[in-house]
Amino acid sequence: MMDAADNGSALNGAEMPQNPSETRSQPQPQSQPELKACPGEEVWERSRCGRSYKKGAQASMPTDEKQESVSLKKRDQLSPKRREQVEKSPRKSKTHRKVGHRQAHFLHGPSPDIHFGPKASILQNATSIMHIQDPTSQRLTWDKPPTNVLVIKKVKDEALLEPFKELCTFLIEEKHLIVFVEKKVVDDAALAKDVKFEPIRQQLSPFREGYDELSGYIDLIICLGGDGTLLYASSLFQTSVPPVMAFHLGSLGFLTPFKFESYRKEVTNVIEGDARIILRSRLKVKVVKELKTAEVERQYQVQDNGLAPQSHIDNEAGKVFMQVLHVLNEVVVDRGPSSYLSNVDLYLDGRLITSVQGDGVIVSTPTGSTAYAAAAGASMMHPNVPAIMITPICPHSLSFRPIVVPAGMELKIMLSPDTRNAAWVSFDGRRRQEIQHTDSITVTTSCYPVPSICCHDLVYDWFESLAECLHWNVRKKQSRFEEITDSSDTEC
């Protein structure tokens, strides 16, 4: 698994060398190399452009490519000093346009060409070209066999104790893996009473949220429960997230496609690398507050399982940069307990777009479009679509409809100067806090998505969840005609 660079992106893509001369100096392979799916890489990357050679096709090369091949041979015969000057010299756009573009199958169509007509093109180092990898090639690969597995169990549910014990016993005794579990789960009185499970319980590695760092140690995450377990697992990793395998043992199960009855076979397939991956993009959120307000909140704020909010204080500006969070579903700004309308301003890439007058606004990922946003009247987007959805909550305007903006754009939310009350913000339903007039919330696409393992594939799983969990487009079908009873239809 590879970590992505933080350039405001969230999905998959194959990154090519930035310097075109590096590609030219390397010998061309006789067959097209196989591209591996790297779930951790970003979607907003440099456009990919290169030659594709078929086996034994050197004799049938186009004239332009033959001339370029001859020029490359001549350049290799130059002196080292002259060769360095040639490599540093800029390439001519005309020669670059003649080079064939490697086309691939993508979810939204072929890889877009960066040249338009004979003279127009996009800069070669532009980061505005989106590449979505072919869904059939988004498969899990292991650089090394996994050794550390994190098991997340739904809390306060005694029905999950037996599945939890079966899974831990299978992972430790049969797969010889190191299993990490929350400390409060290990210390559960019901598990302590089980004498048969005690040897396995002693081999579990407990951790505490906010005190023990898991990044860099966990190879695989297995969730037992509902959608909340996957959201909780996402919150534990604020950088690169290991692959997540979620079993449906909760109430809704929209994000948990696996059935626990076949856990032995499914877990074995994942460990062996036989699984498909869907990259669920996250939102990178930064809350900026005044120093006085932040100090008061820090004194009275209730911590989640001992998680202390990290912050960066800027004394010169009188601001405090609160903890940067990566959320999977949505960021919700609402009016809280106040009876007045919430009035917040929305800025997109530094420009004021509109003001939301109503109960609040939801900024969600495609994964979160089927959660709170769907209840507020938004459309449902496939998780593989690179986008950010903005949905008003009960807007005091009939024409204010939800909108979708491209992934990577920076959205800033602030209270309007003439609003009557403050607002409240929450992140995936957690860490709820008050927002004052001088505070701001910055939201953009995170470069650390959640690689969720598919049961079948990323298309079938999503539509199956729509049908089973949300009963999408479910109605009683119209019956067919048994026989024609109206004689007027058959008259000449």
Side-chain angles (χ1 to χ4, degrees):
M1 308 294 296
M2 298 178 62
D3 296 338
D6 189 3
N7 63 347
S9 58
L11 298 178
N12 199 354
E15 188 171 350
M16 300 294 292
Q18 299 180 9
N19 190 358
S21 62
E22 296 179 3
T23 305
R24 288 188 167 215
S25 61
Q26 297 177 358
Q28 296 292 343
Q30 296 297 326
S31 60
Q32 184 175 353
E34 180 183 0
L35 295 177
K36 295 183 179 180
C38 301
E41 292 189 29
E42 66 261 34
V43 61
W44 303 89
E45 60 173 6
R46 291 176 173 81
S47 58
R48 295 179 294 180
C49 175
R51 295 183 297 276
S52 59
Y53 292 91
K54 295 183 179 180
K55 194 171 183 179
Q58 293 291 340
S60 60
M61 290 174 55
T63 305
D64 297 332
E65 295 190 4
K66 286 183 178 180
Q67 294 177 356
E68 185 175 358
S69 178
V70 173
S71 63
L72 290 176
K73 292 181 180 179
K74 290 182 178 180
R75 191 201 61 181
D76 294 337
Q77 298 175 358
L78 298 176
S79 61
K81 185 176 181 180
R82 178 57 181 165
R83 188 185 306 172
E84 184 179 358
Q85 296 177 356
V86 172
E87 290 178 353
K88 291 183 179 181
S89 62
R91 298 175 59 184
K92 296 182 180 180
S93 59
K94 184 177 180 180
T95 305
H96 181 68
R97 286 198 298 269
K98 291 182 179 180
V99 178
H101 297 274
R102 178 173 58 84
Q103 298 292 339
H105 176 67
F106 291 88
L107 185 65
H108 70 289
S111 179
D113 193 352
I114 63 172
H115 300 281
F116 314 101
K119 296 183 179 179
S121 64
I122 299 179
L123 295 177
Q124 296 182 17
N125 60 349
T127 59
S128 59
I129 299 297
M130 290 186 301
H131 293 284
I132 306 177
Q133 193 172 14
D134 180 8
T136 59
S137 65
Q138 291 185 196
R139 303 190 66 89
L140 176 65
T141 59
W142 298 104
D143 296 334
K144 296 180 181 179
T147 56
N148 300 328
V149 179
L150 172 63
V151 178
I152 302 294
K153 184 184 78 69
K154 183 180 180 181
V155 296
K156 300 180 181 179
D157 193 345
E158 296 182 357
L160 297 184
L161 290 179
E162 290 300 325
F164 173 76
K165 291 187 288 186
E166 289 184 19
L167 178 62
C168 293
T169 304
F170 171 73
L171 295 175
I172 293 177
E173 292 188 347
E174 298 189 24
K175 296 301 179 181
H176 307 288
L177 299 175
I178 301 175
V179 179
F180 288 78
V181 184
E182 290 182 272
K183 189 177 187 303
K184 58 184 178 181
V185 176
V186 178
D187 297 338
D188 192 353
L191 289 178
K193 294 179 182 179
D194 193 341
V195 180
K196 295 182 179 180
F197 186 72
E198 185 62 23
I200 302 297
R201 180 173 169 271
Q202 294 297 331
Q203 299 182 50
L204 298 177
S205 301
F207 79 93
R208 296 178 300 170
E209 180 189 5
Y211 296 96
D212 300 322
E213 180 63 33
L214 297 177
S215 300
Y217 295 97
I218 303 301
D219 302 321
L220 176 66
I221 304 174
I222 300 180
C223 297
L224 302 178
D227 297 342
T229 57
L230 194 144
L231 293 175
Y232 174 68
S234 172
S235 66
L236 294 176
F237 298 86
Q238 292 299 303
T239 54
S240 179
V241 185
V244 182
M245 185 179 188
F247 287 92
H248 177 30
L249 292 172
S251 55
L252 183 60
F254 193 91
L255 306 178
T256 55
F258 289 95
K259 306 297 181 183
F260 190 77
E261 289 75 14
S262 58
Y263 76 92
R264 290 177 175 268
K265 177 183 176 182
E266 302 294 350
V267 173
T268 301
N269 291 338
V270 171
I271 293 177
E272 294 177 354
D274 184 15
R276 298 181 184 273
I277 288 288
I278 180 172
L279 297 177
R280 300 185 179 274
S281 62
R282 296 195 292 179
L283 296 176
K284 179 182 178 182
V285 188
K286 182 176 69 174
V287 181
V288 181
K289 293 189 174 184
E290 278 192 348
L291 184 59
K292 295 181 180 180
T293 306
E295 289 178 350
V296 174
E297 288 190 1
R298 191 178 296 107
Q299 294 177 3
Y300 299 98
Q301 187 177 12
V302 178
Q303 310 300 334
D304 295 334
N305 297 331
L307 182 63
Q310 301 177 0
S311 61
H312 172 71
I313 299 177
D314 187 355
N315 293 324
E316 296 182 0
K319 298 282 185 177
V320 56
F321 297 86
M322 302 299 291
Q323 182 184 20
V324 177
L325 301 174
H326 297 261
V327 300
L328 178 58
N329 262 1
E330 74 270 312
V331 178
V332 179
V333 179
D334 57 76
R335 59 188 175 94
S338 175
S339 59
Y340 295 108
L341 289 176
S342 174
N343 196 350
V344 297
D345 295 336
L346 298 181
Y347 296 84
L348 203 60
D349 283 350
R351 295 186 177 183
L352 178 63
I353 301 301
T354 187
S355 296
V356 183
Q357 203 168 217
D359 285 352
V361 63
I362 305 171
V363 182
S364 62
T365 63
T367 298
S369 66
T370 53
Y372 192 4
S379 299
M380 295 179 290
M381 289 190 298
H382 191 276
N384 224 46
V385 178
I388 299 176
M389 177 171 286
I390 304 173
T391 306
I393 306 174
C394 298
H396 205 255
S397 172
L398 297 178
S399 60
F400 196 168
R401 307 306 304 163
I403 59 174
V404 178
V405 298
M409 302 192 74
E410 186 178 86
L411 178 67
K412 189 175 182 180
I413 304 175
M414 296 184 65
L415 292 180
S416 299
D418 54 350
T419 185
R420 297 183 177 183
N421 58 298
W424 290 77
V425 61
S426 60
F427 314 95
D428 280 346
R430 307 180 67 192
R431 299 181 177 91
R432 186 172 173 84
Q433 53 189 273
E434 190 175 8
I435 299 298
Q436 299 294 335
H437 286 74
T438 55
D439 303 337
S440 65
I441 305 170
T442 304
V443 183
T444 187
T445 305
S446 171
C447 66
Y448 300 109
V450 176
S452 180
I453 301 177
C454 302
C455 182
H456 301 93
D457 57 67
L458 71 169
V459 176
Y460 180 83
D461 287 355
W462 190 67
F463 280 99
E464 186 182 33
S465 298
L466 288 179
E468 291 187 0
C469 301
L470 301 182
H471 299 284
W472 175 67
N473 197 25
V474 175
R475 67 177 295 272
K476 186 177 181 180
K477 291 188 177 181
Q478 187 179 30
S479 59
R480 61 183 295 269
F481 286 119
E482 296 296 336
E483 59 182 6
I484 300 176
T485 58
D486 191 357
S487 61
S488 62
D489 296 340
T490 59
E491 292 180 358
C492 296

